[in-house]
Amino acid sequence: MATEPIKARRTIRKYTDEKVSDEQIRDLLLAAMYAPSAWGKRSWQFIVVDDENLKKELGELTSYSAQAGQASIDIIVLADKNISSSWIEDASIAAEHINLEAAKLGLGSSWVQIRGMIHDTMDAETYLRNLLGIPDNFGICCMITIGYPAEEKPPHREVEFTSNKVHLNGFSGLGEAA
Ligand SMILES: Cc1cc2nc3c(=O)[nH]c(=O)nc-3n(C[C@H](O)[C@H](O)[C@H](O)COP(=O)(O)O)c2cc1C
């Protein structure tokens, strides 16, 4: 049986004006720092953005980032490529820990893709690197937007267990439901 934050977590893109507290921000980052990392190298770094002008910029970063402008905070998840060749995996798991902790705290959150996305005529990663002064050796994985939810989404249903995604002792085809 999945544990509660895993079941409760949904992508929330609409937020109230209420600000998340410093203690909640610390809890979110601490959760990220519990993430496993390749060779235990903890290659990640986190940029918390609460400045209204910067958040507005983040809201316009990609075609799918509008909620960043409305969120209480946005957390950019980076990892040092010089420390770990598995930086994408390290950063992704840490980012998902933030999502799950947000669900536990009753906050809404959403993952915003940055890697491979476009901002106007340049790639979003380069734009963000310049905006926030991120050194070249840091890969930018994603941004997690956080705030008090202004939309309700029910937990995913238990029936979403999808047996044609599971194979025993070798790849056994996708079955009739594929
Ligand atoms: C790698 C990845 C990239 C995503 N990129 C975006 C994004 O750029 N903007 C956005 O609003 N949601 C993004 N999402 C959220 C997905 O749209 C969302 O997880 C999916 O629709 C399932 O909904 P749920 O999170 O409520 O289960 C992303 C999720 C993942 C895992």
Side-chain angles (χ1 to χ4, degrees):
M1 171 91 68
T3 54
E4 290 307 322
I6 289 175
K7 284 202 281 183
R9 185 215 58 80
R10 295 299 311 273
T11 292
I12 300 296
R13 300 186 179 92
K14 294 192 171 80
Y15 308 105
T16 70
D17 291 338
E18 190 174 348
K19 300 294 177 198
V20 301
S21 68
D22 288 347
E23 190 184 354
Q24 287 170 321
I25 295 171
R26 191 175 186 284
D27 284 348
L28 293 164
L29 296 170
L30 187 60
M33 292 170 193
Y34 271 99
S37 62
W39 302 284
K41 287 191 171 175
R42 308 174 92 227
S43 63
W44 10 257
Q45 298 282 332
F46 310 94
I47 300 178
V48 178
V49 176
D50 66 359
D51 176 87
E52 295 300 327
N53 291 327
L54 285 175
K55 284 194 295 180
K56 186 168 178 293
E57 295 257 15
L58 295 177
E60 292 162 5
L61 184 62
T62 80
S63 304
Y64 305 98
S65 69
Q67 65 269 30
Q70 204 196 18
S72 174
I73 58 159
D74 300 311
I75 302 177
I76 319 295
V77 184
L78 325 165
D80 191 338
K81 297 178 180 179
N82 290 346
I83 289 182
S84 181
S85 56
S86 298
W87 72 269
I88 296 175
E89 291 83 351
D90 287 357
S92 297
I93 299 168
E96 185 56 8
H97 274 213
I98 295 172
N99 267 338
L100 292 174
E101 182 69 11
K104 197 189 102 188
L105 296 174
L107 299 172
S109 70
S110 81
W111 181 304
V112 173
Q113 185 71 15
I114 295 171
R115 244 170 20 87
M117 302 300 283
I118 300 294
H119 174 83
D120 289 340
T121 54
M122 68 166 72
D123 67 277
E125 193 176 341
T126 303
Y127 183 82
L128 192 58
R129 193 177 293 289
N130 293 336
L131 183 70
L132 301 180
I134 299 169
D136 285 343
N137 53 305
F138 285 91
I140 304 173
C141 174
C142 62
M143 163 166 71
I144 305 293
T145 65
I146 310 272
Y148 279 90
E151 62 176 336
E152 273 186 37
K153 286 186 181 175
H156 282 299
R157 293 168 298 144
E158 308 274 14
V159 293
E160 284 183 358
F161 185 87
T162 311
S163 57
N164 74 340
K165 295 203 174 287
V166 183
H167 309 266
L168 180 63
N169 298 327
F171 193 83
S172 52
L174 297 179
E176 287 177 14

